[in-house]
Amino acid sequence: MLFRSIIMISVNNVTLAYGKRVLFDEVNINFTKGNCYGIIGANGAGKSTFLKIVSGEIEPNKGTIDITPGERMAVLNQNQFAFDDQTVLNTVLMGHKKLWKVMQERDAIYAKEDFSEEDGMKAGELENEFGEMGGYTAESDAATLLGELGVSESFHQSLMKDIPTNFKVRVLLAQALFGNPDILLLDEPTNGLDIDTISWLENFLADYENIVLVVSHDRHFLDAVCTHIADVDRQKIKIFTGNYTFWYESSQLMARQLNDKNKKVEEKNKRKQK
């Protein structure tokens, strides 16, 4: 139990290269519960790729990602067309994959015409599982979340392909946030959101008690939500405590100190040569 409370994601010797281009070289870091990590770095440094390695979408050439057993991970889906034939409400519910699977199995059993005793036993098991995962309030929870993100009830039964693009972004965000996942991976979550919705998301993440990894170019957003900064630089990732501004000021100070040190070394060498 001690391990569970301390570490949720452990990155061990992760290396990833595409041909001669090395993105990550033996990265070793831990991400712990209760923290929001802003993943920053230059364009092309591998921020989004790193999230895909953590989620399992990309396999590293070497190393492992170890996640505490039983933790549920949710990822902000970037494909706005992935759920075209689903209703808005169902798209959000699908964010909790295990719950959605139990719902589908349960509904399939109840739809049977020749309902056997064995089916009744299985349905009872599924009902228990469904209840333990908060299934009986799932639809109202999803509807509330959509409403808070500015997607009114009139859209909840619409197909995803029939709603405006700016609403699709919000539905996919609701899908990631739904059901209080243990690990939340967000790549540019503020893209396409208005100021009010960004403000709501900032408050949501500020109160979030699990683990968040977020890539964003919005410095104000990173300042509002991050407890730590993970800086992707020169094939490594370093973690700094504090928000974006704190990291920026610290890194500027470190750069000045290094510059001053180098100047002193140069001057010393010049004096020696005289």
Side-chain angles (χ1 to χ4, degrees), residues 213-226:
L213 269 58
V214 57
V215 172
S216 178
H217 285 93
D218 185 336
R219 293 177 182 188
H220 172 81
F221 177 73
L222 291 176
D223 267 350
V225 303
C226 292

Side-chain angles (χ1 to χ4, degrees), residues 33-197:
K33 184 171 182 173
N35 295 328
C36 177
Y37 298 86
I39 314 292
I40 64 163
N43 286 338
K47 301 182 293 293
S48 296
T49 303
F50 181 69
L51 285 192
K52 288 176 180 175
I53 292 172
V54 174
S55 73
E57 188 180 332
I58 291 177
E59 185 89 15
N61 302 122
K62 187 179 129 185
T64 59
I65 304 287
D66 296 326
I67 294 172
T68 314
E71 306 294 357
R72 185 171 78 83
M73 182 185 289
V75 182
L76 176 58
N77 197 307
Q78 302 292 322
N79 182 359
Q80 293 182 9
F81 308 103
F83 303 93
D84 271 1
D85 295 325
Q86 294 289 343
T87 66
V88 165
L89 197 64
N90 280 353
T91 299
V92 176
L93 294 170
M94 289 168 84
H96 194 322
K97 289 176 184 173
K98 193 176 176 185
L99 176 66
W100 180 252
K101 186 170 178 261
V102 167
M103 284 175 76
Q104 298 306 102
E105 285 181 33
R106 187 191 67 156
D107 292 350
I109 290 173
Y110 288 142
K112 283 186 175 183
E113 287 181 15
D114 50 342
F115 193 82
S116 66
E117 190 178 332
E118 194 180 333
D119 288 332
M121 296 277 286
K122 181 64 179 171
E125 287 172 19
L126 291 170
E127 288 289 359
N128 281 338
E129 210 175 339
F130 186 68
E132 282 171 10
M133 286 188 281
Y136 297 112
T137 61
E139 287 198 7
S140 63
D141 292 344
T144 300
L145 190 54
L146 283 166
E148 288 172 343
L149 283 164
V151 182
S152 68
E153 205 172 329
S154 58
F155 286 103
H156 293 187
Q157 295 306 322
S158 301
L159 294 179
M160 283 289 283
K161 64 183 176 186
D162 296 330
I163 68 170
T165 303
N166 64 323
F167 276 15
K168 288 182 184 181
V169 173
R170 298 172 191 217
V171 176
L172 293 177
L173 183 56
Q175 181 190 67
L177 303 180
F178 175 67
N180 198 39
D182 301 298
I183 298 164
L184 188 53
L185 306 184
L186 303 173
D187 193 353
E188 298 292 354
T190 60
N191 281 2
L193 299 183
D194 60 21
I195 292 169
D196 289 342
T197 312

